[in-house]
Amino acid sequence: MILVMRQGCSQEEVTNAEVRLKEIGLTPHTLFGVERTVIAAIGDERRTSVDELSQIPGVDNVMPILAPYKLASRESQPIPSTFDIGGADSPCGGKSKAVTFGGKSIPIIAGPCAVEGRSQILEAAHAVKEAGAVALRAGAFKPRTSPYQFQGLAEEGLSYLAEAREATGLPIVTEVLAPADVPLVAKYADVLQIGTRNMQNFLLLRACGAVKTPVLLKRGMSASLEEHLLAAEYILSGGNPRVMLCERGIRTFESYVRNTFALALVPALKEKTHLPILADPSHGTGVRTLVPAMTRASIAAGADGILIEVHPNPEKALTDGAQTISVKDFAKLVNECRAIAEAIGRTV
Amino acid sequence: MILVMRQGCSQEEVTNAEVRLKEIGLTPHTLFGVERTVIAAIGDERRTSVDELSQIPGVDNVMPILAPYKLASRESQPIPSTFDIGGADSPCGGKSKAVTFGGKSIPIIAGPCAVEGRSQILEAAHAVKEAGAVALRAGAFKPRTSPYQFQGLAEEGLSYLAEAREATGLPIVTEVLAPADVPLVAKYADVLQIGTRNMQNFLLLRACGAVKTPVLLKRGMSASLEEHLLAAEYILSGGNPRVMLCERGIRTFESYVRNTFALALVPALKEKTHLPILADPSHGTGVRTLVPAMTRASIAAGADGILIEVHPNPEKALTDGAQTISVKDFAKLVNECRAIAEAIGRTV
Amino acid sequence: MILVMRQGCSQEEVTNAEVRLKEIGLTPHTLFGVERTVIAAIGDERRTSVDELSQIPGVDNVMPILAPYKLASRESQPIPSTFDIGGADSPCGGKSKAVTFGGKSIPIIAGPCAVEGRSQILEAAHAVKEAGAVALRAGAFKPRTSPYQFQGLAEEGLSYLAEAREATGLPIVTEVLAPADVPLVAKYADVLQIGTRNMQNFLLLRACGAVKTPVLLKRGMSASLEEHLLAAEYILSGGNPRVMLCERGIRTFESYVRNTFALALVPALKEKTHLPILADPSHGTGVRTLVPAMTRASIAAGADGILIEVHPNPEKALTDGAQTISVKDFAKLVNECRAIAEAIGRTV
Amino acid sequence: MILVMRQGCSQEEVTNAEVRLKEIGLTPHTLFGVERTVIAAIGDERRTSVDELSQIPGVDNVMPILAPYKLASRESQPIPSTFDIGGADSPCGGKSKAVTFGGKSIPIIAGPCAVEGRSQILEAAHAVKEAGAVALRAGAFKPRTSPYQFQGLAEEGLSYLAEAREATGLPIVTEVLAPADVPLVAKYADVLQIGTRNMQNFLLLRACGAVKTPVLLKRGMSASLEEHLLAAEYILSGGNPRVMLCERGIRTFESYVRNTFALALVPALKEKTHLPILADPSHGTGVRTLVPAMTRASIAAGADGILIEVHPNPEKALTDGAQTISVKDFAKLVNECRAIAEAIGRTV
């Protein structure tokens, strides 16, 4: 940590700050400048916080040297993480074809926003598989802004998803909303999805850290890069190493889109962490006509996977219709993505 | 709802849209303009959504006429809600002096960010009471950005809060993080606080709607006014009428503060809802030296209550020290607030 | 325009609103609903504004039907605009190879942030040409946040740019800061660049509308899509049809980048306007290591041109060093862009 | 400046960085930590920039110790600046009653958004004076989002303002849009206003630094606190010491207001600078019904002056009607402000 002291602080304040730093286990190195005194505190700064050190009398500003996350960092693991979801060993016991994340290939996870019924999800699963998806996404528990909107089919929806997996061999990615629901959802899902509104639901993160099911952790809609990695750190430090991060758009002043797709997070995260980084251009924009361009852009920007909303009949989708594309448009888009992946030496 | 059709849409598309609107239960009135056709759909538009109607072929844009929330709206209840917290009838059974929210008087809820121990919370409770607070706030369950930070004392902390209530008569306001914890926290608390990260934790909102304990619902750090009211609607529609809303700062590009204190939300909410509106200048700014000015501003802007972080020894606070003021500064501030409240015809 | 009247508004207010609309030249169609009265006002709504109509007593909300810009819109010109910059007919009279914008080919404009000296800009011009750029960018007038920073070489810098054009045949793109400087800069430049801080410098926009030199109009760092198009409308309505728009990043809460690169603006603008849409991944991110990924993404998202900062010695750049890439990295990136352009059926 | 070196940087890189710092005139103090090497560079860091130092090979992160502005800082002048506008010595030569800014009294500057005609501005001037305003505001040059909107009366408007000053003795505050217009506007105005869109129009700032007329500098709608102070530094370093800063709302995701009124900027700026800090609740919210509450809040937050839009007939205002209050509401508000000012030991 670097402590910049206030202009004109007293020698007593400097001495006191040095004592406090030593108590915390850091070694202070004090530099008396013309205008300001600076104390560099060397050691394991994760034992304290910017907030704590800012309270020391005479301190004007505190700057960290190290990132506050550890297990998620490139420094702790310089090589990208690669792992499978689904397959014979999937913790849920369902039978699906394993899909590798973090490698040269870029898996596409597709499906409707919500499980709306048995035939809808079966139809969707077959259609997205045929078009090129390697995993199926759909929500059985839906976080909805209004209490008067459709809230999902709950366990009934999970059972339809399991049926869709049996029918197609696609691993299942589905959202879990509460810590208490983690065991139930983990019984059916190959990947537990944590949505944008729950990125800082720390009890949910802990609950997902305590199971063996891989986790897809979406960025909170106003979360910083560091907060996203600290959320992953909750899961990793609980003992679950299979975490994927996903950019899904942030909230800004822009009003022609539902969210601003902050795609530079993808290469930025890849500099900081070894975890696979996915992109969700459906939520990333919230506008159907922009999804194909931003999916192509996601591949070009280096995403390790795509999460995309596809519905057999987008116009009748119960949720998120405005950002959902048709099966036909999806099939065309997969081919475009293949061409772009090839251009950058990867595959879809 | 107002549907603006795309330029050059066909007569068939217009007819189809009219049919769909009737199916939903709305009455279409179609206006053929020079450049665009507009369909005004009259009726109970909460049966549908902007998203759903946007999917109808030929529709370019959909605009709602009514607010999507009902029970929270001024239209459903034109007179401000007034209710007590604490007191002899508090659902938790604890003994405290009742405090009225929503009236002419502006209650101040003060206390440390976290319960750090028995003596700390007892000392804080006595101190803030003496300085003018009428309720005690402190967290036993702490949502922390990093898994390596202090996470709160949990039930042990709740029991100290109860002891502080016995000792001072101050009702207790404390945060609950998960639906499963609601019964436990409600056993001790006079008010359940839902924090900014949980404003759209819909299962938690439902759980708080199912109990009789009043709820203090903070604004999400990137939530719109409408989303805040829809979150309240979850609780109200569950049968719990005692909901207070609280502005606590939003996330913007500003970096000299932890949060941007969007104080205009206070008068704006008061136009839309009958619920009491509080302000939290501690989280609202995140900067201790700005708290007094923004507390005074909150009173002047019409807040119905103040939530503020006060610690017997802010420099040693385990959490949120940077935004916590001392007991001495708090006592001075309460007097300033009294003068401003008087200037606008209210009392503190 | 659609006027939604306040709940419980009087018949007199409705009648008065109808009269006012007729005065403005719009035809009112009034619909009396269960909860609200709605007036659809049909006609040329650009004669008025949302703001003006909101003032009519009894009006709760006003929603426009048409976009407020005309010449920039797809509705006024459904086919994409294609035009040349530079070449034998360049208004500045300089000799360069013409470059076409708005077609299948995606021109890359490259160069240092600022003209720092004669040899620096000549070296840069030769280097970027060799690596694949077809136009040269560099600023002679630099808008700098601090008065103590390097402010550019002014006309001396312009003359070096002209010399670089003579030497390489690359058309020159350079920024103009004040209306009074437009004639001077237009004497040297093939394209007048209007920077992000001047997107709403309306007198500058008008001055650029009065000349024949093509204009590259960057998005303001907190401008909406509509404001960007209205800024273009200032230039177009002045009689200058050769306007290119450029996304260069917006200001959000994100702090790991200098700007949030809102790349979805590219396909979104292309739906609304016929003008060529460029992307500037250097300012778009502000971080050198993110530039290659976001340049590739820009091509994949459909940008009609790329503006990028390249310096012979980025570490010694007087301005914007943190986001400037080396000539070697640029050459590699151009090849990657070619592969991606080919994958989507275009060329670089 | 503090330079944090990359993990695993070489001794050669450290030595090279030390050499570069000495070349710039800073004294390096290097600390070799367990995980990172840190170089504290002591001396006048305004000779360089974070950007420049970030380019040194091996540097991971650079943090400034000092603020980049000097003349505007509290460190250069610890006592608040106090100065007059208008009066017998006003540079424009007009006759008005001088108004002091920066003292105990809080002047209110009121008037319509735009000068719409002679009788309108005369009527407005008399009305706001009677209600308690001590200076008149109105624009003769209007920056408008659309080229099809009313753009102001230009010099004709300025002459009406001068006439209003003669009639009422109120000093005139009016906006200037271009460097070339500064001499003209300074002939009529007691205070030159620089609007939000021009806060970083550096040539305009320089032109205003070269005259003797006091300047009211509004915050850019996405400007940081530091950028606001650096903009003031342009004027101050040009030799014009009479600069007032004004918070007028920033652009965020909030959509129920035109701007988010970031009122905490007022006390935050007062910690950093000696210049008077004003608040503009009209633009700060953009919503007429929120203006009274936020004006009161501005006084309570410590603003040194208020800028507010008042129109004899707000419903017919040509510009900004939605945020303009009536003379009657203004008179009532001035009284409320007086009571609040008194409560905090100041006067209006």
Side-chain angles (χ1 to χ4, degrees):
Chain A
M1 294 282 190
I2 308 287
L3 283 70
V4 179
M5 304 301 287
R6 266 187 260 277
Q7 207 194 25
C9 75
S10 67
Q11 175 57 48
E12 198 190 331
E13 284 173 323
V14 174
T15 307
N16 173 50
E18 292 169 339
V19 169
R20 287 287 294 275
L21 291 167
K22 284 176 195 162
E23 284 172 9
I24 291 161
L26 299 174
T27 308
H29 295 262
T30 305
L31 300 161
F32 296 93
V34 184
E35 303 197 50
R36 296 293 187 96
T37 295
V38 170
I39 307 176
I42 305 294
D44 180 7
E45 65 188 40
R46 288 188 195 92
R47 295 178 193 189
T48 179
S49 69
V50 168
D51 201 33
E52 186 184 6
L53 299 186
S54 299
Q55 306 320 310
I56 300 176
V59 171
D60 187 31
N61 209 354
V62 178
M63 296 166 290
I65 300 175
L66 300 178
Y69 45 85
K70 236 178 192 167
L71 302 173
S73 75
R74 277 270 179 186
E75 297 180 356
S76 78
Q77 184 184 321
I79 299 163
S81 283
T82 303
F83 54 78
D84 283 2
I85 67 158
D89 305 327
S90 186
C92 67
K95 284 173 189 165
S96 62
K97 189 153 178 268
V99 178
T100 305
F101 281 84
K104 194 182 151 191
S105 180
I106 306 165
I108 296 181
I109 306 167
C113 177
V115 184
E116 298 170 6
R118 186 176 171 276
S119 59
Q120 173 251 17
I121 196 65
L122 282 170
E123 184 185 347
H126 283 291
V128 300
K129 183 186 180 186
E130 195 168 325
V134 294
L136 177 67
R137 60 140 295 153
F141 295 94
K142 298 302 306 170
R144 303 307 303 281
T145 301
S146 163
Y148 307 124
Q149 294 169 322
F150 172 64
Q151 310 271 323
L153 298 181
E155 188 165 6
E156 182 189 346
L158 294 174
S159 71
Y160 297 151
L161 282 169
E163 203 174 334
R165 174 174 51 212
E166 294 301 309
T168 61
L170 296 178
I172 299 301
V173 178
T174 197
E175 185 164 359
V176 59
L177 293 181
D181 291 340
V182 169
L184 171 69
V185 180
K187 240 173 52 185
Y188 294 92
D190 296 289
V191 175
L192 297 171
Q193 179 177 314
I194 297 178
T196 190
R197 289 175 188 77
N198 282 315
M199 192 204 83
Q200 291 197 315
N201 184 335
F202 302 113
L203 298 177
L204 180 61
L205 296 172
R206 284 207 187 281
C208 289
V211 295
K212 296 198 175 311
T213 313
V215 178
L216 190 163
L217 177 64
K218 289 202 172 183
R219 182 188 192 181
M221 69 181 80
S222 63
S224 68
L225 179 148
E226 194 171 288
E227 288 167 346
H228 199 177
L229 288 171
L230 280 165
E233 192 85 3
Y234 264 92
I235 305 169
L236 296 168
S237 66
N240 186 347
R242 292 194 286 178
V243 177
M244 298 179 266
L245 303 178
C246 182
E247 166 62 23
R248 51 78 68 204
I250 56 172
R251 186 158 277 191
T252 73
F253 66 85
E254 290 198 319
S255 58
Y256 65 95
V257 276
R258 192 174 296 182
N259 296 297
T260 291
F261 196 37
L263 191 53
L265 188 83
V266 170
L269 274 176
K270 288 171 80 78
E271 290 179 358
K272 301 288 182 192
T273 185
H274 52 88
L275 301 170
I277 312 301
L278 279 64
D280 173 352
S282 305
H283 289 88
T285 59
V287 180
R288 183 189 300 160
T289 56
L290 304 178
V291 169
M294 298 316 292
T295 305
R296 293 191 300 261
S298 299
I299 301 279
D304 295 315
I306 298 289
L307 193 66
I308 188 167
E309 291 190 348
V310 180
H311 195 286
N313 190 350
E315 288 165 18
K316 301 230 165 149
L318 290 183
T319 58
D320 275 359
Q323 69 194 35
T324 300
I325 64 172
S326 68
V327 172
K328 192 179 147 197
D329 288 346
F330 174 63
K332 181 166 172 285
L333 179 56
V334 172
N335 284 330
E336 294 169 353
C337 289
R338 282 196 178 118
I340 290 175
E342 200 181 334
I344 59 166
R346 297 182 76 170
T347 56
V348 161
Chain B
M1 294 281 191
I2 307 287
L3 284 68
V4 179
M5 304 300 287
R6 266 187 260 277
Q7 207 195 25
C9 75
S10 67
Q11 176 56 49
E12 197 189 331
E13 283 173 323
V14 173
T15 306
N16 172 49
E18 292 169 338
V19 169
R20 287 286 293 275
L21 290 168
K22 285 177 195 159
E23 285 171 9
I24 291 160
L26 300 173
T27 309
H29 295 262
T30 305
L31 300 161
F32 297 93
V34 184
E35 303 198 48
R36 296 294 186 97
T37 295
V38 171
I39 307 177
I42 305 294
D44 180 7
E45 64 189 42
R46 289 188 195 92
R47 296 178 193 190
T48 178
S49 69
V50 168
D51 201 33
E52 186 183 6
L53 298 187
S54 298
Q55 306 318 312
I56 300 176
V59 171
D60 187 30
N61 208 354
V62 178
M63 296 165 291
I65 299 175
L66 299 179
Y69 45 85
K70 234 178 195 167
L71 301 173
S73 75
R74 276 271 180 187
E75 296 179 358
S76 78
Q77 184 185 321
I79 298 163
S81 283
T82 302
F83 54 77
D84 283 1
I85 67 158
D89 304 327
S90 187
C92 67
K95 284 173 190 167
S96 62
K97 188 153 179 266
V99 178
T100 305
F101 282 84
K104 193 183 151 190
S105 181
I106 306 164
I108 297 182
I109 306 167
C113 177
V115 184
E116 298 171 7
R118 186 175 170 275
S119 59
Q120 173 250 17
I121 196 64
L122 281 170
E123 185 185 348
H126 283 291
V128 300
K129 183 186 179 186
E130 195 168 323
V134 294
L136 177 67
R137 59 141 295 153
F141 295 94
K142 297 303 305 171
R144 303 307 303 280
T145 301
S146 162
Y148 307 124
Q149 293 170 324
F150 172 64
Q151 310 271 324
L153 298 180
E155 188 165 5
E156 183 189 346
L158 293 175
S159 71
Y160 296 150
L161 282 169
E163 203 174 333
R165 174 175 50 212
E166 294 301 310
T168 61
L170 296 178
I172 299 301
V173 178
T174 197
E175 185 165 358
V176 59
L177 295 181
D181 291 342
V182 170
L184 171 69
V185 181
K187 238 173 56 185
Y188 293 93
D190 296 289
V191 175
L192 298 170
Q193 180 179 312
I194 297 177
T196 189
R197 291 176 185 77
N198 282 315
M199 192 204 84
Q200 291 196 315
N201 184 334
F202 301 113
L203 298 178
L204 180 61
L205 296 173
R206 285 207 186 282
C208 288
V211 294
K212 296 198 174 311
T213 312
V215 178
L216 191 163
L217 177 64
K218 289 202 172 183
R219 182 188 191 181
M221 68 180 82
S222 62
S224 68
L225 180 149
E226 194 171 288
E227 288 167 348
H228 199 177
L229 287 171
L230 281 166
E233 191 85 3
Y234 264 92
I235 304 169
L236 297 169
S237 66
N240 185 347
R242 293 193 286 178
V243 178
M244 298 178 267
L245 304 178
C246 182
E247 166 61 23
R248 53 76 69 203
I250 57 172
R251 188 158 275 192
T252 72
F253 65 85
E254 290 199 317
S255 57
Y256 65 95
V257 276
R258 191 173 296 181
N259 296 296
T260 292
F261 196 36
L263 191 53
L265 188 84
V266 170
L269 273 176
K270 287 172 79 77
E271 290 179 358
K272 301 287 182 193
T273 184
H274 53 89
L275 300 171
I277 311 301
L278 279 64
D280 172 353
S282 305
H283 289 88
T285 59
V287 180
R288 183 190 301 160
T289 57
L290 304 178
V291 169
M294 298 317 291
T295 305
R296 293 190 301 261
S298 299
I299 301 281
D304 295 315
I306 297 290
L307 192 66
I308 187 167
E309 291 191 348
V310 179
H311 195 284
N313 190 350
E315 289 165 17
K316 302 231 164 148
L318 290 183
T319 57
D320 274 0
Q323 69 195 34
T324 301
I325 64 172
S326 68
V327 171
K328 191 179 146 196
D329 288 347
F330 175 62
K332 181 167 173 281
L333 180 56
V334 171
N335 284 330
E336 294 169 353
C337 289
R338 282 196 178 119
I340 290 174
E342 201 181 332
I344 58 166
R346 299 181 75 170
T347 57
V348 161
Chain C
M1 295 281 191
I2 308 288
L3 285 68
V4 179
M5 305 300 286
R6 265 187 260 280
Q7 207 194 26
C9 75
S10 67
Q11 176 56 47
E12 198 189 329
E13 284 173 323
V14 174
T15 307
N16 172 50
E18 291 169 338
V19 170
R20 286 287 292 276
L21 290 168
K22 284 177 195 161
E23 284 170 10
I24 291 161
L26 300 174
T27 308
H29 295 261
T30 306
L31 300 161
F32 296 94
V34 183
E35 304 197 47
R36 296 293 187 97
T37 295
V38 171
I39 308 177
I42 304 294
D44 180 8
E45 63 188 44
R46 289 188 195 91
R47 297 180 192 188
T48 180
S49 68
V50 168
D51 201 33
E52 185 184 7
L53 299 187
S54 298
Q55 306 319 312
I56 300 176
V59 171
D60 187 30
N61 209 354
V62 178
M63 296 166 290
I65 299 174
L66 298 178
Y69 46 86
K70 233 178 192 165
L71 301 172
S73 75
R74 276 270 179 188
E75 295 179 359
S76 78
Q77 183 185 320
I79 298 162
S81 283
T82 302
F83 54 78
D84 282 3
I85 68 159
D89 305 327
S90 187
C92 67
K95 285 175 188 165
S96 63
K97 188 153 180 269
V99 177
T100 304
F101 281 84
K104 193 182 152 191
S105 182
I106 306 165
I108 296 182
I109 306 167
C113 177
V115 183
E116 298 170 7
R118 185 176 172 276
S119 59
Q120 173 249 17
I121 195 65
L122 281 170
E123 184 185 348
H126 283 291
V128 300
K129 183 187 181 187
E130 195 169 323
V134 294
L136 177 67
R137 59 140 295 150
F141 295 94
K142 297 303 305 171
R144 303 306 304 281
T145 301
S146 163
Y148 308 122
Q149 294 170 322
F150 172 64
Q151 309 271 323
L153 297 180
E155 188 165 7
E156 183 189 346
L158 293 174
S159 71
Y160 297 150
L161 282 169
E163 203 174 333
R165 174 176 48 212
E166 294 302 309
T168 60
L170 296 179
I172 299 300
V173 178
T174 197
E175 185 164 359
V176 59
L177 294 182
D181 291 342
V182 168
L184 172 69
V185 180
K187 239 174 50 186
Y188 293 93
D190 296 289
V191 175
L192 297 170
Q193 180 178 313
I194 297 177
T196 188
R197 290 174 188 78
N198 283 315
M199 193 203 84
Q200 291 197 315
N201 185 334
F202 301 113
L203 298 177
L204 180 61
L205 296 172
R206 285 206 186 281
C208 288
V211 295
K212 297 200 172 310
T213 313
V215 178
L216 191 163
L217 177 64
K218 289 202 172 182
R219 182 188 192 181
M221 71 181 79
S222 63
S224 68
L225 180 149
E226 194 172 286
E227 288 167 347
H228 200 177
L229 288 170
L230 280 166
E233 191 85 4
Y234 264 92
I235 304 169
L236 296 169
S237 66
N240 186 346
R242 291 193 286 177
V243 178
M244 299 179 266
L245 303 178
C246 181
E247 166 62 22
R248 53 76 69 206
I250 57 171
R251 187 158 276 190
T252 73
F253 66 85
E254 289 199 320
S255 58
Y256 65 95
V257 276
R258 193 173 295 182
N259 296 296
T260 291
F261 196 35
L263 190 53
L265 188 84
V266 170
L269 274 175
K270 289 172 80 76
E271 290 179 357
K272 301 287 182 192
T273 184
H274 52 90
L275 301 170
I277 311 301
L278 279 63
D280 173 351
S282 305
H283 289 88
T285 60
V287 180
R288 182 189 300 159
T289 56
L290 304 178
V291 169
M294 297 318 291
T295 305
R296 294 191 300 262
S298 299
I299 301 280
D304 295 315
I306 298 290
L307 193 66
I308 186 166
E309 292 191 346
V310 179
H311 194 286
N313 189 350
E315 287 166 18
K316 300 229 164 150
L318 290 183
T319 57
D320 274 0
Q323 69 195 35
T324 300
I325 64 172
S326 68
V327 172
K328 193 180 145 196
D329 287 347
F330 175 61
K332 181 168 173 283
L333 180 56
V334 172
N335 284 331
E336 293 170 353
C337 288
R338 282 195 178 118
I340 290 175
E342 200 181 334
I344 59 166
R346 297 182 76 170
T347 57
V348 163
Chain D
M1 295 280 190
I2 307 287
L3 284 70
V4 179
M5 304 300 287
R6 265 188 260 279
Q7 207 194 26
C9 73
S10 68
Q11 175 56 47
E12 198 189 331
E13 284 173 324
V14 174
T15 306
N16 172 51
E18 292 169 338
V19 171
R20 287 285 294 276
L21 290 168
K22 285 178 195 159
E23 285 171 9
I24 292 162
L26 300 174
T27 308
H29 295 262
T30 305
L31 301 161
F32 297 93
V34 184
E35 303 197 46
R36 296 292 187 99
T37 295
V38 170
I39 308 177
I42 305 293
D44 180 8
E45 63 188 42
R46 289 188 194 91
R47 298 179 191 187
T48 179
S49 69
V50 169
D51 201 32
E52 186 184 7
L53 299 187
S54 298
Q55 305 320 311
I56 300 176
V59 171
D60 187 30
N61 208 354
V62 178
M63 297 165 290
I65 298 174
L66 299 178
Y69 46 85
K70 235 179 192 165
L71 302 172
S73 75
R74 277 269 180 187
E75 296 180 357
S76 78
Q77 183 185 320
I79 299 163
S81 284
T82 303
F83 55 77
D84 282 2
I85 67 158
D89 305 326
S90 187
C92 66
K95 285 175 188 164
S96 63
K97 187 152 179 269
V99 178
T100 305
F101 281 84
K104 194 183 151 190
S105 181
I106 306 164
I108 297 182
I109 306 167
C113 177
V115 184
E116 297 170 7
R118 185 175 172 276
S119 59
Q120 173 250 16
I121 196 64
L122 281 171
E123 183 185 350
H126 283 291
V128 299
K129 183 187 180 185
E130 194 169 324
V134 294
L136 178 66
R137 59 141 295 150
F141 295 94
K142 297 304 304 172
R144 303 306 304 281
T145 301
S146 162
Y148 307 124
Q149 293 171 323
F150 172 64
Q151 310 270 324
L153 297 180
E155 188 166 6
E156 181 189 347
L158 293 174
S159 71
Y160 296 151
L161 282 169
E163 203 175 333
R165 175 176 47 211
E166 294 302 309
T168 60
L170 296 179
I172 299 301
V173 178
T174 196
E175 185 165 359
V176 58
L177 294 181
D181 291 342
V182 169
L184 171 69
V185 180
K187 240 174 49 186
Y188 293 93
D190 297 289
V191 176
L192 297 171
Q193 180 178 313
I194 297 178
T196 190
R197 290 175 187 78
N198 283 314
M199 193 204 83
Q200 291 197 314
N201 184 335
F202 302 113
L203 299 177
L204 180 61
L205 296 172
R206 284 207 187 280
C208 289
V211 295
K212 296 198 174 312
T213 313
V215 178
L216 191 163
L217 177 64
K218 289 203 172 182
R219 182 188 192 181
M221 71 181 79
S222 63
S224 68
L225 179 149
E226 194 172 286
E227 288 167 346
H228 199 177
L229 288 170
L230 281 165
E233 191 84 3
Y234 265 92
I235 304 169
L236 297 169
S237 66
N240 186 346
R242 292 193 286 178
V243 177
M244 298 179 266
L245 303 177
C246 182
E247 166 61 23
R248 52 76 70 206
I250 56 172
R251 187 158 277 190
T252 72
F253 66 84
E254 289 199 320
S255 57
Y256 65 95
V257 277
R258 192 174 295 182
N259 296 295
T260 292
F261 196 37
L263 190 54
L265 188 83
V266 170
L269 274 176
K270 289 171 79 76
E271 290 179 358
K272 301 286 182 194
T273 185
H274 52 88
L275 301 171
I277 311 301
L278 279 64
D280 173 353
S282 305
H283 289 88
T285 59
V287 180
R288 182 189 300 160
T289 55
L290 304 177
V291 169
M294 297 317 291
T295 305
R296 293 191 301 261
S298 299
I299 302 279
D304 295 314
I306 297 289
L307 192 67
I308 187 166
E309 292 191 347
V310 180
H311 195 287
N313 190 350
E315 287 165 20
K316 300 229 163 150
L318 290 182
T319 57
D320 275 0
Q323 69 195 34
T324 300
I325 64 172
S326 69
V327 173
K328 190 180 149 199
D329 287 346
F330 175 62
K332 180 166 174 282
L333 180 56
V334 172
N335 284 330
E336 293 169 353
C337 288
R338 282 195 178 119
I340 290 174
E342 199 181 333
I344 59 166
R346 298 181 76 170
T347 57
V348 162

